[in-house]
Structure formats: structure tokens, C-alpha cells
Amino acid sequence: MESLSRVSSLLETARDLTLEAAQSAGAARSLNPRPTRDLPFLQIKKLLDSRNDREILEGLRKVISVRSVAG
């Protein structure tokens, strides 16, 4: 059970860091607008908050994509 708790804690930390990165990317985008093909912050947040693993992974991919373009 301890390992499950640890994994859950790591996932929460990863989620928090990902949300922070999405917010930073959103702030950077407002300074340097990108084409509208990128998902808005709220849609990325919705994917990351999902209970569906595939949606969470898609949200993480979007954040990584935004970070690689912005950074």
C-alpha cells in the first residue's frame, strides 16, 4: 500500500508541475501570440484533471509541445 501512496504522490506532484508549466506557457503566449491551433489553457487543464489516463497523457503531450515551441 505504501508504494501505491508513493505513486499517487508522485503523480500529484507531476500534475502540479504540469499545470504550472501550462500556466507559464499561457503567460508566454500572451506576450508572443502563437497560431490558434494550440489549445487554450482551460482545455489543457481539463485534460490534465481528467480521470481518463489517455486524456491526462494527451494533456501532458500538449504541455510538452507548447514548452518545446515556446522554450
Side-chain angles (χ1 to χ4, degrees):
M1 281 308 228
E2 186 177 317
S3 62
L4 180 61
S5 174
R6 182 174 172 159
V7 168
S8 178
S9 175
L10 289 172
L11 287 174
E12 270 303 308
T13 302
R15 180 184 168 278
D16 292 343
L17 290 172
T18 304
L19 285 173
E20 185 178 320
Q23 288 174 334
S24 295
R29 189 181 313 150
S30 68
L31 296 175
N32 186 13
R34 299 272 182 219
T36 57
R37 71 173 191 253
D38 294 331
L39 289 175
F41 169 75
L42 291 177
Q43 286 179 322
I44 293 175
K45 184 176 183 330
K46 182 179 174 185
L47 288 170
L48 295 172
D49 287 341
S50 174
R51 291 180 180 238
N52 182 326
D53 288 343
R54 288 183 181 167
E55 289 181 359
I56 294 170
L57 287 173
E58 183 63 24
L60 289 170
R61 286 185 190 104
K62 298 293 182 187
V63 169
I64 291 169
S65 172
V66 168
R67 291 298 302 160
S68 66
V69 170

